[in-house]
Amino acid sequence: MSDEGNSDFDLIDIGEILSLPVLFLSLIPIFTIIGTYLVNFHHNNILLMLVIFLIAIVGLLIGFDKFIPPKLYPFTIWILSISLIWHRTLVSQYINVCDIVGEYYFADLVIKNSFWDWTLVGNYNSVLSIVMLAPIYNQICNLDLTWVFKIIFPSLYSLVPLGVFSVFLNETKNSKVAFLSSFLFISIAPFYGEVAIITKQSTAELFFVILLLLILNKTMSKAKRSTLLIIFADSLIVSHYGTSYLFMISLLFVLFFLYFTEPQNKLRKIFHFKLKKEDLISNNFNIINKYVSINFILLYVIFAILWYMYISNSSTFINAVLIGKFAVNSIFSEYFNPEDSRGLYTIMRGEVSTLWFITKIFYLITQFFILVGLVKTLFNYKRTNFSKVYLGFSLYYLLLLIASLIHSSFSVMDPRRLYQLSLFTLAPFSIMGSLIACRITYVSFNLLWTTKCETNSLKLVSVFLTIFLLLNTGFIFEISNDHVSSNSLSQESFRITNNFDDKARFYGSTIFTQNVFSGKWLGTNMNKNQTVYRGDVVQGFPSLTIYGNIDPKNILGFSNKSTNIDPGYVQLSYANIVGNFGSIWFNDLQIREYYNFSDLYPLIDIKNRIYDNGGSEILLD
């Protein structure tokens, strides 16, 4: 049988696959894997430093139209994203510290019990991305749960920037702007430093970008589009409560945005022909349904509310209601107060060094350009390629960022993660805002703005984003021996520094083997009814909950503000003994304050030591 003359098949161009740009890009994630191995077992960060440098160089090459052709932009953005993610998640033999501690606990509980108890109280227990997906990967791949969280989920998350690039390209119709917008998206620290290790949000963001692509799609058949929208919307809801609630509100916002903006050109006709009010409403809702089906929105809202109302004893739903109530009660009494707003606190707090201050300025510049770009686009909507529904989503997330400065309760999540989520729609406006700034500069010098000027401006933007990436990853901090910020690049610098804040940050974000062994020993040998006072300063105290399998209800904290410690077990962690650090958790701003652990010695009797491994001890008071 001959296929001669059949043009239905696309032939694979081997020469393109083996081209120099593709081979060069393919080496970056390989270097990342080897680099994390060197950090873990040989305490050498040279190769990881090279990886970050190469990623920055790629951004410059594309900004200057060198070496990498536009058809490779999607492949490039995926390569860069997975390399950035892995350079963070593959460091350490234990899970990366963040919300993942609680996620691991509930996923492991499902594996041990061989079923999911949906009545257990806890936000993490209400999301299937944790209690279903993680155990399934564990069983199918025969992979330890730690590596499910460190490899599989982050690898899936690396597809998000690819979807984001598609959204940006669809809206801007400019591959260079779409790439630079995506590069901004992956350059900020929350992308690879926080969300990548928060499984519920990273999984939800994958469904979120798919929903954006479906909503903005104008060619897919209505039946297929509706079916996929329902499937992925439900998947988003059961993946992460925070992202699903924010998306639910965004749908309602876009609904009203379209309703109040679409009729503008029709008002004259309405008054001219004296249409009835019922006809006006009908016409407007027909227009809205072309973009976002009202039935879909209602279905999403109902399912989201019902899911979190009946799962995990309504714990997530109750928390959402309390947050909303608190926000309403506080808006008139406690607003724009750094002590009540994590976002405003982040902006106004003093920085420990000039480089940290410069990094903050870079963030503020990107946000200022977002404001400039979006406002300009809204006033010149007809001259742009942006769809009105996309502008509706963008305006919503901009207003949400502003609201998060008023009070922490409006942001639902950490402001850094909220900013990362907002860039799903706002990133292109930062690039456009920077071009507007360049154009104003040209005009102020009486220079003519031409296509060449725009090209040169995009080159300047790529330089800015490259520096931004090097700051966020900690590359510049490491080579300048400043206050280091990266657990991946600066582990040895953390160990040898004498700076209190730097050391505290390291001890509070690292799981030490000594703590793991003391937690396991205590979980095996303790009296199950007795209280454990934790010395673990890591969020979620994983040495006791994950590795010791100790019920969190039996674990209490103590600090330099404690006046006495009741009888029970006391864990002294590596941070307490070697680093002389303890920590206090402040819920208002969700930041940690560290103190000298030696201040607590009058309250504890170190002679009652029943376990000691050289870095962690167990006392019995």
Side-chain angles (χ1 to χ4, degrees):
M1 182 176 179
S2 174
D3 288 331
E4 185 177 352
N6 191 333
S7 59
D8 293 336
F9 298 95
D10 292 329
L11 299 178
I12 298 176
D13 187 350
I14 299 298
E16 183 176 298
I17 295 176
L18 298 178
S19 65
L20 192 57
V22 172
L23 294 177
F24 166 71
L25 291 169
S26 300
L27 284 175
I28 298 178
I30 296 175
F31 286 164
T32 304
I33 296 171
I34 300 174
T36 55
Y37 174 84
L38 292 177
V39 168
N40 290 337
F41 298 104
H42 298 280
H43 309 292
N44 189 318
N45 69 349
I46 294 299
L47 195 53
L48 271 192
M49 294 284 286
L50 176 62
V51 166
I52 301 301
F53 181 75
L54 290 177
I55 292 173
I57 289 298
V58 170
L60 280 180
L61 289 174
I62 291 181
F64 283 78
D65 294 310
K66 303 292 184 181
F67 191 57
I68 300 174
K71 62 183 177 182
L72 289 181
Y73 286 179
F75 177 69
T76 303
I77 203 67
W78 176 73
I79 285 290
L80 300 187
S81 66
I82 199 169
S83 299
L84 284 170
I85 291 169
W86 278 351
H87 110 278
R88 176 70 174 88
T89 64
L90 294 184
V91 167
S92 173
Q93 294 300 294
Y94 303 106
I95 60 172
N96 304 99
V97 175
C98 202
D99 288 12
I100 194 173
V101 175
E103 295 171 351
Y104 187 106
Y105 177 81
F106 280 99
D108 191 46
L109 203 61
V110 172
I111 294 173
K112 290 175 180 176
N113 296 334
S114 298
F115 74 94
W116 169 44
D117 184 356
W118 59 276
T119 63
L120 288 178
V121 176
N123 292 348
Y124 299 144
N125 192 53
S126 65
V127 288
L128 298 187
S129 55
I130 302 302
V131 296
M132 284 287 104
L133 204 54
I136 287 173
Y137 283 134
N138 167 263
Q139 296 298 310
I140 292 179
C141 301
N142 193 26
L143 189 64
D144 185 88
L145 194 58
T146 295
W147 296 102
V148 170
F149 283 110
K150 290 174 72 71
I151 298 177
I152 295 183
F153 281 114
S155 298
L156 291 173
Y157 175 59
S158 70
L159 299 175
V160 170
L162 198 57
V164 166
F165 174 81
S166 299
V167 172
F168 296 161
L169 183 60
N170 179 69
E171 293 299 315
T172 63
K173 305 297 189 294
N174 185 313
S175 60
K176 178 70 70 64
V177 171
F179 178 85
L180 291 176
S181 302
S182 304
F183 193 78
L184 169 62
F185 181 84
I186 67 174
S187 294
I188 64 171
F191 167 74
Y192 52 83
E194 294 178 49
V195 179
I197 55 178
I198 299 178
T199 301
K200 56 186 185 297
Q201 183 169 343
S202 64
T203 305
E205 288 191 357
L206 183 58
F207 296 124
F208 176 49
V209 74
I210 294 173
L211 286 171
L212 283 179
L213 288 168
L214 288 171
I215 291 173
L216 298 171
N217 188 285
K218 300 176 182 178
T219 59
M220 188 178 296
S221 67
K222 186 176 181 180
K224 183 185 295 184
R225 183 167 171 266
S226 299
T227 302
L228 291 176
L229 277 172
I230 292 173
I231 292 173
F232 289 113
D234 291 346
S235 300
L236 171 61
I237 290 170
V238 300
S239 294
H240 184 215
Y241 36 87
T243 306
S244 64
Y245 281 154
L246 292 178
F247 183 66
M248 177 178 68
I249 300 173
S250 74
L251 289 175
L252 296 173
F253 180 89
V254 170
L255 178 69
F256 286 100
F257 178 81
L258 293 176
Y259 180 79
F260 287 108
T261 56
E262 280 292 341
Q264 296 302 316
N265 295 327
K266 300 180 178 293
L267 287 178
R268 296 191 188 96
K269 295 182 180 180
I270 291 171
F271 285 115
H272 180 72
F273 292 106
K274 298 181 180 180
L275 293 180
K276 297 179 180 179
K277 182 179 180 181
E278 292 78 8
D279 295 330
L280 171 62
I281 295 175
S282 176
N283 289 339
N284 284 330
F285 277 105
N286 284 335
I287 293 169
I288 292 170
N289 274 302
K290 292 180 181 179
Y291 298 101
V292 185
S293 169
I294 296 176
N295 292 332
F296 164 71
I297 296 176
L298 291 175
L299 184 64
Y300 182 93
V301 171
I302 291 171
F303 184 70
I305 293 176
L306 290 178
W307 176 264
Y308 288 109
M309 183 180 290
Y310 289 102
I311 297 298
S312 294
N313 278 333
S314 307
S315 60
T316 306
F317 180 77
I318 292 172
N319 287 339
V321 172
L322 292 176
I323 289 174
K325 180 180 178 181
F326 182 71
V328 173
N329 292 338
S330 302
I331 188 171
F332 297 111
S333 59
E334 302 172 358
Y335 52 89
F336 290 115
N337 184 353
E339 295 182 0
D340 298 306
S341 169
R342 284 180 285 168
L344 196 59
Y345 169 80
T346 302
I347 293 175
M348 298 187 66
R349 71 184 179 191
E351 301 299 336
V352 294
S353 71
T354 303
L355 273 181
W356 277 93
F357 178 75
I358 291 174
T359 305
K360 179 195 289 187
I361 295 299
F362 268 68
Y363 272 100
L364 293 177
I365 290 173
T366 62
Q367 293 164 19
F368 173 75
F369 284 154
I370 285 174
L371 181 63
V372 172
L374 181 55
V375 171
K376 175 71 172 178
T377 303
L378 288 172
F379 279 101
N380 296 273
Y381 162 68
K382 292 184 179 180
R383 299 181 182 179
T384 67
N385 296 313
F386 291 100
S387 64
K388 192 158 288 188
V389 67
Y390 184 86
L391 291 178
F393 278 114
S394 301
L395 182 59
Y396 164 77
Y397 280 104
L398 177 64
L399 294 176
L400 187 62
L401 288 177
I402 296 174
S404 70
L405 297 178
I406 299 175
H407 201 280
S408 292
S409 56
F410 287 106
S411 63
V412 180
M413 59 182 68
D414 181 273
R416 291 160 55 87
R417 290 160 53 195
L418 182 64
Y419 181 53
Q420 185 267 347
L421 186 64
S422 71
L423 289 183
F424 275 79
T425 58
L426 293 179
F429 298 108
S430 185
I431 307 302
M432 295 175 63
S434 63
L435 291 178
I436 293 171
C438 291
R439 185 168 186 169
I440 292 174
T441 304
Y442 269 85
V443 173
S444 64
F445 285 98
N446 296 319
L447 298 174
L448 182 64
W449 180 261
T450 63
T451 303
K452 185 177 181 180
C453 294
E454 182 174 322
T455 301
N456 291 333
S457 298
L458 287 175
K459 292 178 181 178
L460 185 62
V461 171
S462 69
V463 173
F464 174 88
L465 293 178
T466 297
I467 299 173
F468 190 43
L469 171 75
L470 294 176
L471 285 169
N472 278 314
T473 54
F475 182 92
I476 294 179
F477 289 89
E478 177 66 11
I479 62 176
S480 63
N481 198 28
D482 198 279
H483 290 269
V484 289
S485 60
S486 171
N487 272 29
S488 300
L489 303 180
S490 307
Q491 284 202 9
E492 294 308 304
S493 299
F494 274 125
R495 295 179 192 276
I496 64 176
T497 183
N498 292 321
N499 182 270
F500 184 89
D501 293 326
D502 290 351
K503 273 189 173 294
R505 195 182 311 117
F506 175 62
Y507 285 116
S509 59
T510 305
I511 296 178
F512 290 94
T513 302
Q514 292 90 336
N515 295 347
V516 171
F517 277 90
S518 72
K520 287 182 177 180
W521 183 91
L522 182 59
T524 302
N525 297 282
M526 68 177 286
N527 182 337
K528 303 301 180 183
N529 296 321
Q530 276 197 284
T531 300
V532 176
Y533 288 89
R534 55 178 174 83
D536 196 341
V537 299
V538 176
Q539 178 181 338
F541 28 100
S543 63
L544 300 175
T545 54
I546 292 178
Y547 301 105
N549 295 314
I550 300 173
D551 192 332
K553 296 178 182 177
N554 295 331
I555 302 174
L556 298 177
F558 59 102
S559 71
N560 59 343
K561 299 182 185 299
S562 301
T563 56
N564 68 289
I565 297 178
D566 295 330
Y569 296 98
V570 178
Q571 180 203 42
L572 302 186
S573 69
Y574 190 87
N576 305 151
I577 297 172
V578 178
N580 190 29
F581 286 100
S583 71
I584 306 173
W585 176 262
F586 287 95
N587 287 323
D588 289 343
L589 293 176
Q590 294 195 10
I591 59 173
R592 284 187 181 273
E593 181 179 283
Y594 295 90
Y595 59 87
N596 289 323
F597 190 78
S598 56
D599 296 341
L600 275 176
Y601 282 141
L603 297 179
I604 58 179
D605 188 354
I606 58 175
K607 295 180 180 179
N608 292 338
R609 186 186 300 114
I610 59 175
Y611 175 87
D612 184 358
N613 61 26
S616 182
E617 301 174 2
I618 304 296
L619 312 179
L620 180 59
D621 281 354

